[in-house]
Amino acid sequence: MRRLNRKKTLNLMKELDAFPKVPESYVETSASGGTVSLIAFTTIAFLTIMEFMVYRDTWMKYEYEVDKDFTSKLRINIDITVAMRCQYVGADVLDLAETMVASADGLIYEPVPFELTPQQKELQRMLQLIQSRLQEEHSLQDVIFKSAFKSASTALPPREDNSLQSPDACRIHGHLYVNKVAGNFHITVAYNFSHRIDHLSFGELIPGIINPLDGTEKIASDHNQMFQYFITVVPTKLHTYKISAETHQFSVTERERVINHAAGSHGVSGIFMKYDISSLMVTVTEEHMPFWQFLVRLCGIIGGIFSTTGILHGFGRFVAEIIFCRFRLGSYRSTSVPLPDGHTSNHLPLITDNSTH
């Protein structure tokens, strides 16, 4: 009884088979089919490799929301060199709440030569090249995000020369904590405002991230010259497979002019960095294609190519057979055969045994 039930179940399963097997004696192969199959297998292999490369790659997803944190402090990371001795340079921050943060709260004044060493000049040229490419190709920013903590530091290497050149400039570097409101970081008192911005960032310091003003160098053409940087700071949460941090991105607009009261150009000479905090916060997340999605796309590629090549091959054979049949019919010409009664027949004569002799 159990064997009978098993046999019925097996027969039922055979009837539900959606993939019936065709005996090999009924399968007809051809050279054209083999050629199409070879093309199909090559295309499948190529697209599978390309799909695997897409699966291995990651991309950055950007999400926007309102920044509700207004009570925390904002960190400003500064590394600026001014072409004047330190005793003639002063720097501080004044925000819209009229709160002043003195540079002594976290900045160091270091006497250094303004001229860079060959190694430092090479890094500066590299930073300037990257900055120009970032302005043209914004997708490079995603590469920089993904390489954070993995690439080399963008800070200038220390001086390795032992020259007796006297320090003619002042390097102001360190960090300050300010209120999370608009403010102005300015450097005044100096007589020569030629300067180089080796690094300027907001928030947590992340090695490998290149900021818009890194590598900027300005040479003053006049003693009474004003350099202005209008900065918009955007709070940013960065989540990649290498790092998870809360930092800030910023965009900047530069302006410089000579102060000449007689010509109507009023103001105070100096270096001014006016920053404003955006009310929106950006969350940047590195994402990866799920494995199940990769399998679905791979199955679609294989099935689609097999179906498409099969249809094209069948259609090609159908067209070829029609053309070949017409060619064969056109090659036969009708032949007139005289009949005994004087009529003619346009049919081909029959070949009999007697006619062969």
Side-chain angles (χ1 to χ4, degrees):
M1 189 69 178
R2 291 182 178 179
R3 292 181 178 179
L4 183 61
N5 292 334
R6 290 180 180 177
K7 187 175 182 181
K8 289 183 179 180
T9 304
L10 183 60
N11 292 333
L12 179 61
M13 296 302 295
K14 289 183 178 180
E15 293 179 0
L16 296 177
D17 186 7
F19 307 98
K21 307 301 183 295
V22 180
E24 293 186 0
S25 58
Y26 297 148
V27 177
E28 180 182 358
T29 59
S30 62
S32 61
T35 304
V36 173
S37 299
L38 182 61
I39 296 175
F41 291 144
T42 304
T43 306
I44 289 174
F46 174 75
L47 293 181
T48 299
I49 294 174
M50 297 299 295
E51 190 66 25
F52 180 73
M53 294 176 63
V54 173
Y55 168 72
R56 290 186 57 190
D57 194 16
T58 59
W59 61 88
M60 308 306 293
K61 179 182 178 181
Y62 293 80
E63 297 177 321
Y64 303 89
E65 59 180 309
V66 177
D67 184 18
K68 301 178 181 179
D69 182 15
F70 297 103
T71 59
S72 61
K73 294 290 185 177
L74 175 64
R75 171 171 169 163
I76 306 178
N77 307 295
I78 303 168
D79 191 349
I80 301 175
T81 302
V82 184
M84 284 293 295
R85 297 183 182 274
C86 292
Q87 58 265 32
Y88 303 116
V89 177
D92 53 36
V93 177
L94 180 64
D95 59 25
L96 288 181
E98 297 185 355
T99 302
M100 178 171 288
V101 180
S103 59
D105 293 340
L107 298 182
I108 301 173
Y109 291 74
E110 178 184 353
V112 295
F114 189 75
E115 185 72 17
L116 296 175
T117 63
Q119 184 182 6
Q120 292 174 331
K121 287 182 179 179
E122 183 65 25
L123 179 60
Q124 186 187 35
R125 283 193 296 266
M126 183 192 69
L127 287 175
Q128 293 174 350
L129 177 61
I130 294 176
Q131 296 289 10
S132 62
R133 293 294 301 274
L134 282 173
Q135 294 177 2
E136 299 173 359
E137 303 179 20
H138 299 286
S139 59
L140 290 179
Q141 185 63 53
D142 292 349
V143 179
I144 294 177
F145 279 147
K146 289 189 285 187
S147 63
F149 272 175
K150 189 169 57 176
S151 59
S153 175
T154 58
L156 287 178
R159 303 182 69 91
E160 296 180 355
D161 57 341
N162 297 322
S163 62
L164 300 178
Q165 181 182 1
S166 61
D168 58 351
C170 184
R171 180 190 176 198
I172 306 173
H173 60 98
H175 60 270
L176 296 172
Y177 288 94
V178 298
N179 296 324
K180 207 171 180 180
V181 295
N184 183 14
F185 171 76
H186 54 272
I187 300 175
T188 56
V189 184
Y191 184 71
N192 180 9
F193 289 103
S194 297
H195 62 281
R196 182 178 60 253
I197 303 176
D198 297 324
H199 180 79
L200 179 68
S201 64
F202 297 84
E204 183 179 347
L205 188 60
I206 302 177
I209 297 295
I210 299 178
N211 298 279
L213 288 177
D214 292 355
T216 301
E217 183 173 294
K218 299 291 185 180
I219 303 299
S221 59
D222 192 276
H223 299 305
N224 294 322
Q225 194 160 351
M226 174 189 290
F227 295 92
Q228 293 176 303
Y229 299 92
F230 300 95
I231 299 173
T232 301
V233 182
V234 181
T236 304
K237 292 182 178 180
L238 182 61
H239 302 287
T240 70
Y241 292 106
K242 299 293 182 180
I243 180 178
S244 180
E246 294 187 7
T247 182
H248 292 73
Q249 301 179 84
F250 68 90
S251 60
V252 60
T253 302
E254 303 176 20
R255 183 188 179 192
E256 58 181 84
R257 61 188 176 93
V258 176
I259 303 300
N260 189 344
H261 298 285
S265 178
H266 304 290
V268 179
S269 57
I271 304 170
F272 299 90
M273 297 182 179
K274 299 182 180 181
Y275 60 89
D276 193 7
I277 312 297
S278 174
S279 59
L280 292 178
M281 180 174 62
V282 181
T283 301
V284 184
T285 307
E286 184 178 7
E287 293 193 343
H288 185 270
M289 180 188 297
F291 183 71
W292 65 266
Q293 187 176 353
F294 168 70
L295 291 180
V296 171
R297 291 166 63 99
L298 195 61
C299 293
I301 289 175
I302 297 175
I305 290 179
F306 268 119
S307 300
T308 304
T309 53
I311 294 173
L312 293 178
H313 180 241
F315 180 75
R317 290 190 61 182
F318 174 73
V319 174
E321 288 177 358
I322 292 177
I323 296 175
F324 184 69
C325 289
R326 289 186 177 181
F327 177 76
R328 291 182 60 185
L329 291 176
S331 63
Y332 292 103
R333 296 180 178 179
S334 60
T335 304
S336 298
V337 180
L339 298 176
D341 56 358
H343 294 82
T344 59
S345 175
N346 294 328
H347 297 284
L348 294 175
L350 295 175
I351 299 177
T352 61
D353 294 338
N354 296 329
S355 62
T356 60
H357 297 287

